[in-house]
Amino acid sequence: MDKLLRTEIINEVKRSMREALEVADERWINGEELCNQFQMFSPSWLKLNGHLLPRTRAEVADKNGKTTGTRWAYPQHRIARMIAENKIKEFILTT
């Protein structure tokens, strides 16, 4: 096994382990907690651009088809990794 292949294998194992641990230990936080944890985000920024971040919420449809949803929840560890890897600078507004 040459050095390049060995390095590629090691990097892939590290990436896979990081992703697996991130999912297993992920902490979902609301917008207020997100702004407190990562102070580059403000409530007004989240209101305008929160859709650019990974997030989810629960939605329920009633018998008439009207949907209601909970507040947005943001994955703390995934966003921290995005910041550490400078992927937070790659957002592109499409509207």
Side-chain angles (χ1 to χ4, degrees), residues 26-43:
E26 189 60 83
R27 182 167 178 256
W28 291 87
I29 58 178
N30 64 31
E32 183 179 345
E33 290 175 293
L34 182 77
C35 292
N36 288 334
Q37 178 73 32
F38 304 107
Q39 295 186 0
M40 78 275 283
F41 300 124
S42 66

Side-chain angles (χ1 to χ4, degrees), residues 15-26 77:
R15 185 191 64 76
S16 297
M17 289 296 297
R18 182 178 59 241
E19 286 180 6
L21 290 172
E22 185 177 290
V23 169
D25 292 334
E26 189 60 83
H77 300 302

Side-chain angles (χ1 to χ4, degrees), residues 40-41 45 52-54 78-92:
M40 78 275 283
F41 300 124
W45 189 92
L52 298 170
L53 294 171
R78 185 170 167 198
I79 292 172
R81 182 173 47 85
M82 290 172 69
I83 293 168
E85 294 175 352
N86 283 322
K87 291 185 178 179
I88 211 82
K89 296 179 180 182
E90 298 174 6
F91 291 147
I92 298 173

